[in-house]
Amino acid sequence: MQVARIDPFFKRLFAVVAIGIGLWLIYLLIPVILPFLTAFILAYLLNPIVARLARIMPRWLSILIVYTAIILGFGVLLWWLLPTLWTQIESAWEYFPRLVEWYNSDIRVWVNDNSRFNLPVLESQIVSDTLVEYLNKNYNVADAQSFLMYIMNSGLTVINNTGLVVLVPILTFYFLFNWNERLQTWKAALPATSSKKIIEIARDCDKALMAFIKGQLLVMILLGVVYAVQLQLIGLELGLIIGMVAGIASFVPYLGFGIGFIAAIIAGLFQFGMDWLQLGLIAGAFMVGQAVEGYILQPLLLGDKIGLSPLWVIFAVLAGASLLGFVGMLIALPVSAIINVLFRHAYAAYQNTDWYKGRKQYKLFE
């Protein structure tokens, strides 16, 4: 009896359609997948700590201890940070009349005397009324209370839609609790002929990622301290918050320096006016910070963990920003670290081929 065979074209067509439908379903399920993906990333980051504690206690208890430590850490940080932040925000608000006065007495006079432009005189009340009118027109708010309610309602809508605040810690707990069993299941599902190589590549990626994350966190903290201490010594009243923000934003190369430098110069203009000595000291503080980051912190704490040249780092950040915006900038370097590991293994495999060694040529090149 002759068995009917399916035409290879229809097999390929079926495979392409199945892949397309699968990608379409994934796209539709992005709001559902996002909490799981976030929880998996957090579980991956917390697993080394949980695994060490699990050697001396039940795993569920070690997870709860890690959760408790994180909550207490954030609580202590907010308890220390919020009063200082509030004081500095009040100081920033007090700079506004100084800015208007500086514009009227210096900038406006200089521009009117040295150009054909005739800048108008600004008054604090006019600027405030214009801002309120803009908010009322674009956000349908009449006063500060309704504007605050608008922000809270918007935030609650986001939370209700994503469920991240409540769902992610629960999902992270389950990922952590069954982490080892899940890894064993994934290992057992690998093809026997390739499992050893796949596990080797996965371990190299894990080492590169963890080394980068640990080193980058230390760089962010220490760089924030360097910026904040220098700006406080200079006398910049907003120096603490600007330095901390610059340190945190340094996770994206050159972003922390750019944000911190611009914010510090603007705050310096508000506080000191056109005092070139103070502005020069602020600029010098960020130059020192860049030197400390480039020549001390990154070589000692990161070294060649990523294995990318500065040119590739800049390209990776720009490519990530172009593809995924700000999120792409955040994940550009970790993804580049993984790609670099994969490339090294692919290049090593290529060097072992007969074609690379000249023993065999493909018909295309003969």
Side-chain angles (χ1 to χ4, degrees), residues 129-183:
D129 293 342
T130 303
L131 178 60
V132 171
E133 182 181 355
Y134 173 81
L135 293 174
N136 188 31
K137 180 179 179 181
N138 292 274
Y139 297 97
N140 194 26
V141 292
D143 51 28
Q145 181 179 2
S146 58
F147 181 61
L148 181 61
M149 291 300 299
Y150 170 81
I151 295 176
M152 292 180 64
N153 290 332
S154 300
L156 290 175
T157 300
V158 173
I159 292 173
N160 290 333
N161 289 336
T162 60
L164 293 178
V165 172
V166 177
L167 189 58
V168 167
I170 298 174
L171 295 175
T172 304
F173 179 89
Y174 283 113
F175 273 122
L176 285 171
F177 188 73
N178 297 316
W179 188 266
N180 295 329
E181 292 80 359
R182 194 166 283 108
L183 283 182

Side-chain angles (χ1 to χ4, degrees), residues 4 39 81 94 97 107 143 175 183 198 300 302 316 324 360-361:
L81 180 61
E94 292 175 357
I107 297 296
D143 51 28
F175 273 122
L183 283 182
I198 294 175
L300 290 178
L302 287 176
L324 297 174
K360 180 180 179 181
Q361 292 292 331

Side-chain angles (χ1 to χ4, degrees), residues 281-303:
L281 289 175
I282 292 174
F286 280 89
M287 294 299 106
V288 171
Q290 280 294 99
V292 169
E293 179 186 12
Y295 294 102
I296 299 177
L297 296 180
Q298 287 198 356
L300 290 178
L301 300 176
L302 287 176

Side-chain angles (χ1 to χ4, degrees), residues 58-332:
R59 190 171 180 86
W60 64 267
L61 182 58
S62 63
I63 298 173
L64 292 180
I65 290 176
V66 170
Y67 271 35
T68 304
I70 292 174
I71 294 173
L72 290 177
F74 272 107
V76 172
L77 179 63
L78 292 177
W79 177 78
W80 169 76
L81 180 61
L82 287 180
T84 304
L85 182 61
W86 180 255
T87 302
Q88 304 229 331
I89 289 176
E90 287 181 333
S91 300
W93 184 255
E94 292 175 357
Y95 292 151
F96 179 70
R98 301 184 191 177
L99 173 63
V100 175
E101 181 181 356
W102 174 64
Y103 162 82
N104 291 327
S105 61
D106 295 333
I107 297 296
R108 176 179 171 276
V109 173
W110 187 89
V111 171
N112 291 346
D113 291 342
N114 295 277
S115 68
R116 292 180 294 177
F117 295 101
N118 188 17
L119 297 179
V121 177
L122 292 182
E123 296 182 7
S124 300
Q125 186 62 37
I126 295 177
V127 177
S128 300
D129 293 342
T130 303
L131 178 60
V132 171
E133 182 181 355
Y134 173 81
L135 293 174
N136 188 31
K137 180 179 179 181
N138 292 274
Y139 297 97
N140 194 26
V141 292
D143 51 28
Q145 181 179 2
S146 58
F147 181 61
L148 181 61
M149 291 300 299
Y150 170 81
I151 295 176
M152 292 180 64
N153 290 332
S154 300
L156 290 175
T157 300
V158 173
I159 292 173
N160 290 333
N161 289 336
T162 60
L164 293 178
V165 172
V166 177
L167 189 58
V168 167
I170 298 174
L171 295 175
T172 304
F173 179 89
Y174 283 113
F175 273 122
L176 285 171
F177 188 73
N178 297 316
W179 188 266
N180 295 329
E181 292 80 359
R182 194 166 283 108
L183 283 182
Q184 294 300 324
T185 302
W186 292 344
K187 288 181 181 179
L190 296 175
T193 55
S194 306
S195 61
K196 185 176 180 180
K197 190 63 178 179
I198 294 175
I199 293 173
E200 179 186 353
I201 295 174
R203 285 176 177 168
D204 288 345
C205 291
D206 175 66
K207 290 178 182 177
L209 273 178
M210 295 308 297
F212 167 73
I213 292 171
K214 293 176 183 177
Q216 188 62 53
L217 286 175
L218 287 174
V219 169
M220 290 164 55
I221 295 172
L222 295 177
L223 188 60
V225 171
V226 169
Y227 283 141
V229 168
Q230 290 186 100
L231 295 177
Q232 288 291 103
L233 290 176
I234 291 171
L236 188 66
E237 295 180 10
L238 297 177
L240 178 62
I241 184 172
I242 291 175
M244 293 178 61
V245 170
I248 294 172
S250 65
F251 183 83
V252 178
Y254 313 110
L255 179 65
F257 171 80
I259 292 177
F261 181 78
I262 295 173
I265 289 296
I266 293 175
L269 289 174
F270 291 172
Q271 181 176 345
F272 305 117
M274 295 301 293
D275 189 332
W276 295 107
L277 175 60
Q278 296 293 338
L279 296 179
L281 289 175
I282 292 174
F286 280 89
M287 294 299 106
V288 171
Q290 280 294 99
V292 169
E293 179 186 12
Y295 294 102
I296 299 177
L297 296 180
Q298 287 198 356
L300 290 178
L301 300 176
L302 287 176
D304 57 351
K305 301 298 188 303
I306 305 179
L308 299 176
S309 68
L311 291 177
W312 279 110
V313 169
I314 297 174
F315 173 80
V317 172
L318 294 178
S322 177
L323 294 174
L324 297 174
F326 183 72
V327 176
M329 295 176 67
L330 291 178
I331 66 175

Side-chain angles (χ1 to χ4, degrees), residues 38-59:
T38 305
F40 177 79
I41 294 173
L42 290 175
Y44 171 75
L45 297 176
L46 296 176
N47 182 66
I49 303 175
V50 172
R52 289 186 180 182
L53 292 176
R55 298 173 184 173
I56 57 176
M57 63 182 69
R59 190 171 180 86

